[in-house]
Amino acid sequence: MRDVRSIEHIHKFHHNPNYLSSVEINLPAQNVTNDLKRLISQSDFVLLNVPAAFLKDALQGITAADLAGKKVISAIKGIVPDENQIIGEFLNQHYGIPFDHFLVISGPCHAEEVALEKLSYLTIASRDTELAAGFAGMFSTRYIKTIISDDIYGTEYGAVLKNIYAIAGGICHGVGYGDNFQAVLISNAIRELERFVAAVHPIDRDIKESAYLGDLMVTAYSQFSRNRTFGNMIGKGYTVTSAQLEMNMIAEGYYAVNCLHQVNKQYNVNMPICDAVYAILYEKRPPALEMKHLAEQLS
Amino acid sequence: MRDVRSIEHIHKFHHNPNYLSSVEINLPAQNVTNDLKRLISQSDFVLLNVPAAFLKDALQGITAADLAGKKVISAIKGIVPDENQIIGEFLNQHYGIPFDHFLVISGPCHAEEVALEKLSYLTIASRDTELAAGFAGMFSTRYIKTIISDDIYGTEYGAVLKNIYAIAGGICHGVGYGDNFQAVLISNAIRELERFVAAVHPIDRDIKESAYLGDLMVTAYSQFSRNRTFGNMIGKGYTVTSAQLEMNMIAEGYYAVNCLHQVNKQYNVNMPICDAVYAILYEKRPPALEMKHLAEQLS
């Protein structure tokens, strides 16, 4: 952790002062630290979990040598800004992490429900599915089941795009569309996602699996979704800045849609929903008008 | 309408006393009647909209001759009991309605939102897609968009099975599963639906279209869903009878899962979710145990 006061709080009270504060944290004191370099040097597995927008900052001072031989797992759902790369690509190019030492951990999984010990399914993806299976074993518990996948690109992009679609759903709700329209929006969203990942990484995948469709639904429909809440405020007329201030949390889809807009210049996939969210958030197009325009393109 | 007092109420007050009572009904007096035979004789299009369980009763006294040459549209989402046929099959076999005079109208579409003039998309399916397009034109309004399909079987069975899956979702909620699990359940449900309709009527269809996936999501996730509410009560320990008395409405999925159980004896499709709902509702298996068993089979 970066914040020294939070570290001291956890050492002293065994609870995180800021997030899911009711959960008891029982770790050896040296494991909760801001000395990332030392922590990594003592670890076999490094699980990264910061918003993608802050990954570069978080890794400052860490070199390829520090990560050499480590297995790196990303629980990040986002694209690295400026680089416009998913986490696997970024770590591969900038830190030399080979793809068969890299894993992705994905939902459908709201942390809030895991804290409540509600049965949840995690998908663990890696080019090396034996590595994924071994890692999955460490994560399985009474209330966590794991699914193995070899689809890093689909799993990462699925986790990124679902946040954008949840913002879209929130905006539509905010401007007054109902559940009937929401269902049409999300059934179009999964087809848009399928088109995009097929263009980026064309392998045989079933987009209706839990890691893709399930993850999209839990985010688009759940009360816990930050991105949906953010979109709803935008739909109701909040500016981006005031919505972010009000929420006191990052809606990752806000950054993701900008990155995706850049990435898609190279693939030119037909993505009317992402385009609409981009136009509203970055070109200040009026939400109601833009969603009316989007509705004409859905089926 | 069957109930004479309701007919008198509509003639006098232009509102239905029982359902969506706020909606004004401006029809010529002779169009609201219990004389079905006369009404059909004066009509080109006959739109049927009673629970499937009561369709035979509703059509008593109507003969194949009465319906000869008529276009018949089904807005029914169900299987005819005892016959175990979808509406198109039933009307074809028992009333000689040719399949190219038959249409299906489907969602994702809660009536409550249509009454509120919320933008909704209807799918109109017929073997004769020109007929479907013509009929769609009559239904399109400022807040109703239409999608044409040639898939009667998929559209009918999709509308039937979504009610069963909504009951499953309700039961899971009732016994304490959260949104994370719900997303896994529904992403498995759409794959189960795809397997089943592929076995019954194998054509090239995209099960992620609004009429299938959208309809499933709006039913499984919406506050308006009777089937989800019914399932939730079962999950919380109500008996079937007390849940039905309490709701004062029919949860069509209750009848549908029994019919589907019979139909699937002929196809033997792997349908663990439908099986679980059947076991709970008809074999009085304990909901919590049965859902735990189901969870082991999902991915």
Side-chain angles (χ1 to χ4, degrees), chain A:
Chain A
M1 305 185 85
R2 284 160 299 169
D3 179 14
V4 178
R5 277 172 308 179
S6 293
I7 295 169
E8 283 169 2
H9 187 102
I10 292 177
H11 284 163
K12 202 162 166 186
F13 301 111
H14 304 288
H15 289 269
N16 186 322
N18 299 313
Y19 302 106
L20 295 177
S21 301
S22 63
V23 177
E24 196 174 340
I25 298 171
N26 276 318
L27 289 171
Q30 70 273 19
N31 284 19
V32 183
T33 172
N34 62 355
D35 186 351
L36 199 58
K37 212 176 177 77
R38 192 178 56 80
L39 191 67
I40 289 176
S41 79
Q42 299 168 345
S43 304
D44 301 312
F45 289 85
V46 178
L47 195 155
L48 300 170
N49 193 17
V50 290
F54 307 133
L55 178 63
K56 281 177 166 183
D57 281 355
L59 289 180
Q60 265 199 342
I62 304 299
T63 64
D66 292 325
L67 290 167
K70 311 288 183 189
K71 310 288 191 292
V72 182
I73 307 103
S74 168
I76 301 169
K77 288 98 177 68
I79 300 176
V80 183
D82 308 325
E83 317 295 336
N84 295 326
Q85 293 172 317
I86 55 172
I87 310 304
E89 284 174 331
F90 174 78
L91 293 174
N92 181 262
Q93 285 204 12
H94 297 259
Y95 290 89
I97 308 289
F99 274 105
D100 53 8
H101 281 194
F102 176 72
L103 303 98
V104 178
I105 186 166
S106 190
C109 200
H110 284 296
E112 290 84 349
E113 289 200 346
V114 175
L116 292 167
E117 303 192 352
K118 298 264 186 186
L119 179 63
S120 303
Y121 292 63
L122 294 176
T123 289
I124 315 285
S126 177
R127 193 172 287 179
D128 179 350
T129 50
E130 270 186 50
L131 175 66
F135 185 72
M138 298 186 221
F139 259 71
S140 300
T141 70
R142 178 170 51 84
Y143 51 91
I144 298 285
K145 291 182 189 292
T146 49
I147 301 168
I148 307 304
S149 158
D150 64 357
D151 182 21
I152 288 175
Y153 280 86
T155 306
E156 280 219 53
Y157 271 117
V160 170
L161 268 75
K162 64 130 199 267
N163 286 333
I164 301 173
Y165 298 135
I167 291 180
I171 294 174
C172 290
H173 184 74
V175 300
Y177 291 92
D179 293 344
N180 291 351
F181 182 74
Q182 199 73 229
V184 171
L185 179 75
I186 301 304
S187 82
N188 276 267
I190 192 70
R191 285 175 271 161
E192 182 172 305
L193 168 61
E194 184 176 47
R195 284 195 298 276
F196 181 74
V197 293
V200 172
H201 191 60
I203 60 165
D204 188 29
R205 66 169 70 78
D206 183 352
I207 208 76
K208 300 182 300 297
E209 286 181 359
S210 295
Y212 316 111
L213 177 61
D215 203 19
L216 171 61
M217 290 193 296
V218 85
T219 306
Y221 278 106
S222 182
Q223 52 172 326
F224 295 122
S225 168
R226 293 183 286 277
N227 290 285
R228 191 170 198 281
T229 305
F230 173 72
N232 188 33
M233 294 175 80
I234 299 296
K236 291 219 182 290
Y238 278 69
T239 63
V240 168
T241 309
S242 56
Q244 285 181 333
L245 281 173
E246 187 78 31
M247 287 178 62
N248 200 21
M249 266 187 162
I250 299 288
E252 290 217 285
Y254 171 72
Y255 300 106
V257 73
N258 185 29
C259 297
L260 189 99
H261 187 75
Q262 310 305 324
V263 174
N264 194 32
K265 282 180 181 166
Q266 143 188 19
Y267 297 104
N268 279 310
V269 177
N270 175 34
M271 304 186 84
I273 306 176
C274 284
D275 291 348
V277 173
Y278 180 82
I280 292 166
L281 298 183
Y282 287 88
E283 296 171 343
K284 300 204 191 302
R285 293 266 306 159
L289 272 182
E290 195 62 30
M291 285 307 170
K292 194 162 191 284
H293 173 64
L294 173 63
E296 301 294 333
Q297 300 168 71
L298 303 182
S299 67

Side-chain angles (χ1 to χ4, degrees), chain B residues 7-46:
Chain B
I7 294 169
E8 282 169 2
H9 187 101
I10 293 177
H11 284 163
K12 202 163 168 186
F13 301 112
H14 304 287
H15 289 270
N16 186 323
N18 299 315
Y19 300 108
L20 296 175
S21 301
S22 63
V23 177
E24 198 175 338
I25 298 173
N26 277 319
L27 289 171
Q30 70 272 20
N31 284 18
V32 183
T33 172
N34 63 355
D35 186 351
L36 198 58
K37 212 177 177 79
R38 191 179 57 78
L39 191 69
I40 289 177
S41 79
Q42 298 167 348
S43 304
D44 300 313
F45 289 86
V46 178

